[in-house]
Amino acid sequence: MLVGAALSLGAVPAENDLDAFMKQVVARRDDNWKKLQQYIFDEREQLEMRGPNRVPIWGERREYTWYIRDGFFVRSPTKFNGVTIGDAERRTFEAAYLKQAQERDKRAPRGGSATVDGSGGLTIDNGAAAESPETELAQDVGGIIRQNRPPQFISSAYFLRFKFEEGKYALAGRETIDGNEVLRIEYYPARMFSGSDRRRTGKEQSDKDKARDAAFQRMMNKVALVTLWVEPKAHQIVKYTFDNVGFDFLPAQWLVHVSDLKATMTVGQPFPDVWLPTSMELNLAMTVAIGQLDVRYGLEYRDYRVPSVTSKIGIK
């Protein structure tokens, strides 16, 4: 039985090799978005809040198309709650988004966004326009990716700044996702939440404030669990979930009680050997005086496509 189990594991890394394996996974995380020099895709963003008995209280849905303009991915709004965005408003949004992306890219260091910290852990640094139907988008040099910093659809998918720590991983086994055999790896962080979130006001924190922040960070790390599903041959994360399993340590429980927080991100292969985000979802449940409130925020990336030499990008 032991021999059979060992043979069935195949390429599963040994426990003492898991840290080295995960370093490769993180280092290759941002390899994919620039593998193709030209592609277009659509995004759907949705936010909703439900009250007691799951009664809808508030919500909205926005739709975008991403394309490459002047060498940068630009997010172009197409619809808001089902209403088509006007051409002038859309172009204004695109111009502002492009300017912001260019300025952000100037501040970004060239090269990968994975860096090794002083303790040997690896840190992930979080570091377009839908045209009207009659407008043609010519794929000239302006349609080739030239930006260095990962665009927003990548940083949104990998919104957690993981500090991968040696010895904090557990290999949970094999699973199959979308026909791909993957490894399920659990990560129990000790330093995911670190550093002060308090804004500086010209004065250093008092010892009391530092102690309070450190205690809060320890408790947040204590209740956090990250589960990753990794395709071992490509060292590619195909899915991860983030769970905070309990918030009983938070103050003011009599006013607001956070009972559940969970985030999920998935990655697919819209093109051969190119892995790109397909969805991200955040769910929050909390209890207030009127009862339980459920908040859901979701991003969906779909219809990845390579444009022809001259393409028409229509609003759907």
Side-chain angles (χ1 to χ4, degrees), residues 49-63:
M49 177 181 292
R50 294 180 179 270
N53 300 319
R54 301 288 296 168
V55 176
I57 296 178
W58 177 79
E60 64 179 40
R61 186 176 72 180
R62 300 173 184 265
E63 297 180 37

Side-chain angles (χ1 to χ4, degrees), residues 14-168:
E15 200 69 32
N16 58 351
D17 295 330
L18 201 51
D19 295 315
F21 175 78
M22 289 307 299
K23 285 183 180 180
Q24 294 183 62
V25 170
V26 178
R28 298 192 60 180
R29 189 208 72 182
D30 288 334
D31 285 354
N32 285 276
W33 69 275
K34 293 187 75 171
K35 280 186 175 179
L36 291 181
Q37 289 298 296
Q38 298 177 348
Y39 55 94
I40 302 167
F41 63 95
D42 300 321
E43 173 193 340
R44 178 178 294 167
E45 181 182 34
Q46 189 167 0
L47 177 63
E48 63 179 17
M49 177 181 292
R50 294 180 179 270
N53 300 319
R54 301 288 296 168
V55 176
I57 296 178
W58 177 79
E60 64 179 40
R61 186 176 72 180
R62 300 173 184 265
E63 297 180 37
Y64 304 85
T65 291
W66 288 78
Y67 80 110
I68 301 169
R69 174 177 168 184
D70 295 337
F72 287 78
F73 275 103
V74 176
R75 191 187 195 205
S76 174
T78 57
K79 290 184 180 180
F80 175 60
N81 289 340
V83 178
T84 300
I85 302 297
D87 186 70
E89 184 179 357
R90 176 174 50 81
R91 290 182 180 278
T92 299
F93 183 97
E94 293 170 6
Y97 192 95
L98 176 61
K99 182 179 179 181
Q100 183 182 43
Q102 290 171 332
E103 292 176 349
R104 184 170 176 261
D105 207 60
K106 290 178 182 178
R107 300 192 299 268
R110 295 180 180 273
S113 60
T115 56
V116 180
D117 63 29
S119 61
L122 198 64
T123 301
I124 294 181
D125 190 9
N126 284 344
E131 299 292 340
S132 56
E134 63 275 2
T135 302
E136 293 187 346
L137 175 65
Q139 297 298 320
D140 55 13
V141 68
I144 304 289
I145 299 174
R146 290 190 288 110
Q147 71 185 93
N148 297 300
R149 189 164 183 168
Q152 182 183 329
F153 69 92
I154 296 295
S155 58
S156 294
Y158 294 94
F159 62 94
L160 289 176
R161 298 184 63 190
F162 298 134
K163 293 185 177 180
F164 287 95
E165 306 158 68
E166 296 182 2
K168 296 297 182 179

